[in-house]
Amino acid sequence: MKMVDKKILAVAVGAIFVLGIYGPNLANIVQTAEAHGVQAQLQSRFIQITDEALTRQSLSTGETLVLTGTLVSLVERDQRGWISLFSESTNSGNRWEIMARDPPGVVITIPGNSITDYAITAKALEPGVYHVHTQLNVANVGPGLGPGSTVVVEGEPIIKPIPWAMLAYQSVMIAAAYVVTFATRPWKVI
Amino acid sequence: MVWLRRCTHYLFIVVVAVNSTLLTINSGDYIFYTDWAWTSFVVFSIANTLMTVVGAVYYITFTGVPGTGAYYGLIMQVYTWVAKVAWMALGYPVDFIVHPMWIPSCMLLDLAYWATKKNKHSLIFFGGVLVGMSMPLFNMVQLMLIADPLETAFKYPRPTLPPYMTPIEPQVGKFYNSPVALGAGAGSVLSVTFAALGCKLNTWTYRWMAAWSKWD
């Protein structure tokens, strides 16, 4: 290979390296989240969450919290969706159990140009300092979040029941594999 | 020569174990907490089938002992319990965590090898089809033994869920009416190819070890 070819090759490899390192950063600068179909703002442009309020901002694990507010539809068409809560915290827990929803049911229909009051009752399962939002997931549109508030949860974490049937299934198979393995002892020939 | 053989063996175990643990953690998110549940199950089944069959066939032909498949499946499945601890630490509901079920499919591979008197091509064809057909079945049993995935997804907001991945409604039938059937169909075809790849990897390993043995 000639020296000139080697230089071209070296420059090309260098350019690929530089692009690989800085390319994503440059792309971040010029691209917005909307380009990916993900809305950048918390509030949905289809149905907005207003008058969001929490019954309490400090509670113990096992106690419930009620998030209330109003869903204001800004579109003509009826939409289907479901309400939940979205929380961020400094720990990795973020565990809540949804106890009740109003309007009742999981997936609800939100009529076009309507104003619907909502309430979510959630039980705290893990201590932490949270920022809790209402989350409305609208079919074919995506999620929207309310402004949110800080909530402090204290107490012992609540663990869910242990799935004994699944553990039994696993254990039986693992035991059978032990029997076969020790009967045949494959490691003897390795 | 023995040290090389053993190092190769343990290296392979570690690599596949790490892969299987990561796959377990990641696939769980997509199976349970998105509206792609059934589609994800098919992808999960095929990915696990291929990983299992290539590793198990490699091992069975490495040792030539029927029973090696069970040994391999046992190691992999026990490793996934590590993944379970990681999930619990992230705050997943405990009655909602599943492990991939590999052992029975690996045993079928042993059976194919043993019943055909250690015929490599029978292992590839019959064993490959058996693993592909059985893997989604044995794994779907797991889903029936835990809390209902969709109910759980609505009842327990996932700790680290990106909001755009939340489910809207059950997606059963959207991609295909039975994820087990589709997973088994695709898996049984693809896993034959991967069983052959396992055999080929074994050949290459022996050639590589033979090349090294010049130094003995």
Side-chain angles (χ1 to χ4, degrees), chain A residues 38 80-87 92-99 101 106-107 125-126 135 137-140 142-143 145 159-163 165-167 169-171 173-178 180-181 184-190, chain B residues 2 5-6 9 59 62-63 65-68 70-71 74 77-78 81 84 89-101 103-104 107 110 137-139 141-142 145-146 153-157 159 161-164 166-169:
Chain A
V38 178
R80 298 175 70 243
W82 66 286
I83 319 173
S84 182
L85 64 81
F86 181 80
S87 66
S92 62
N94 274 334
R95 293 197 302 120
W96 299 88
E97 181 176 335
I98 308 284
M99 307 300 289
R101 287 183 170 91
V106 177
V107 179
L125 300 178
E126 191 155 317
Q135 179 176 337
N137 304 294
V138 182
N140 303 320
L145 300 180
I159 307 295
K160 288 279 294 163
I162 294 167
M166 199 273 286
L167 290 180
Y169 179 48
Q170 285 273 330
S171 304
M173 292 299 176
I174 288 172
Y178 266 115
V180 174
T181 301
T184 56
R185 294 178 195 269
W187 60 84
K188 287 265 185 187
V189 295
I190 290 171
Chain B
V2 169
R5 208 180 149 87
R6 287 186 182 155
H9 166 235
Y59 264 113
F62 195 78
T63 63
V65 177
T68 313
Y71 174 53
L74 176 66
Q77 200 161 321
V78 169
W81 286 69
K84 176 169 184 158
L90 279 171
Y92 282 83
V94 183
D95 62 347
F96 188 50
I97 299 171
V98 289
H99 311 270
M101 177 56 80
I103 288 170
M107 283 176 164
D110 279 336
L137 267 178
F138 288 121
N139 278 286
V141 172
Q142 301 264 79
L145 297 176
I146 55 161
F154 282 125
K155 205 170 178 185
Y156 303 94
L161 180 69
Y164 55 86
T166 45
I168 295 292
E169 56 190 320

Side-chain angles (χ1 to χ4, degrees), chain A:
Chain A
M1 191 185 279
K2 281 186 285 183
M3 184 57 75
V4 177
D5 289 350
K6 280 184 182 171
K7 272 185 188 168
I8 292 170
L9 198 66
V11 170
V13 170
I16 290 167
F17 264 110
V18 169
L19 265 180
I21 293 166
Y22 294 109
N25 298 332
L26 293 174
N28 257 351
I29 295 167
V30 294
Q31 271 190 336
T32 59
E34 286 89 342
H36 303 288
V38 178
Q39 58 195 20
Q41 74 275 27
L42 295 177
Q43 284 280 9
S44 168
R45 285 169 290 177
F46 287 68
I47 299 170
Q48 293 214 322
I49 299 160
T50 57
D51 303 327
E52 187 186 61
L54 284 87
T55 50
R56 54 204 301 187
Q57 291 196 294
S58 170
L59 66 161
S60 299
T61 49
E63 292 181 333
T64 55
L65 167 82
V66 182
L67 261 164
T68 54
T70 308
L71 307 175
V72 180
S73 174
L74 305 175
V75 289
E76 298 282 333
R77 288 171 58 177
D78 295 355
Q79 300 283 348
R80 298 175 70 243
W82 66 286
I83 319 173
S84 182
L85 64 81
F86 181 80
S87 66
E88 304 135 306
S89 78
T90 48
N91 66 357
S92 62
N94 274 334
R95 293 197 302 120
W96 299 88
E97 181 176 335
I98 308 284
M99 307 300 289
R101 287 183 170 91
D102 184 33
V106 177
V107 179
I108 54 169
T109 301
I110 302 157
N113 291 318
S114 67
I115 294 176
T116 312
D117 291 333
Y118 71 87
I120 309 162
T121 309
K123 182 160 78 176
L125 300 178
E126 191 155 317
V129 178
Y130 298 93
H131 197 72
V132 177
H133 307 257
T134 305
Q135 179 176 337
L136 174 68
N137 304 294
V138 182
N140 303 320
V141 172
L145 300 180
S149 302
T150 301
V151 175
V152 179
V153 177
E154 290 172 330
E156 289 296 309
I158 296 172
I159 307 295
K160 288 279 294 163
I162 294 167
W164 293 111
M166 199 273 286
L167 290 180
Y169 179 48
Q170 285 273 330
S171 304
V172 166
M173 292 299 176
I174 288 172
Y178 266 115
V179 170
V180 174
T181 301
F182 277 96
T184 56
R185 294 178 195 269
W187 60 84
K188 287 265 185 187
V189 295
I190 290 171

Side-chain angles (χ1 to χ4, degrees), chain B residues 22-44 87 92 96 98 143 149-150 153 158 160-162 164-167 171:
Chain B
L22 292 176
L23 197 67
T24 306
I25 295 172
N26 292 325
S27 60
D29 283 4
Y30 298 104
I31 287 179
F32 303 124
Y33 277 105
T34 75
D35 55 357
W36 286 72
W38 264 198
T39 310
S40 300
F41 183 83
V42 174
V43 176
F44 161 87
W87 277 22
Y92 282 83
F96 188 50
V98 289
L143 295 193
L150 199 75
R158 203 200 93 170
T160 51
L161 180 69
Y164 55 86
M165 285 179 63
T166 45
Q171 297 295 306

Side-chain angles (χ1 to χ4, degrees), chain B residues 47-63:
Chain B
N48 277 279
T49 300
L50 300 185
M51 197 177 61
T52 306
V53 82
V54 72
V57 164
Y58 176 87
Y59 264 113
I60 290 170
T61 49
F62 195 78
T63 63

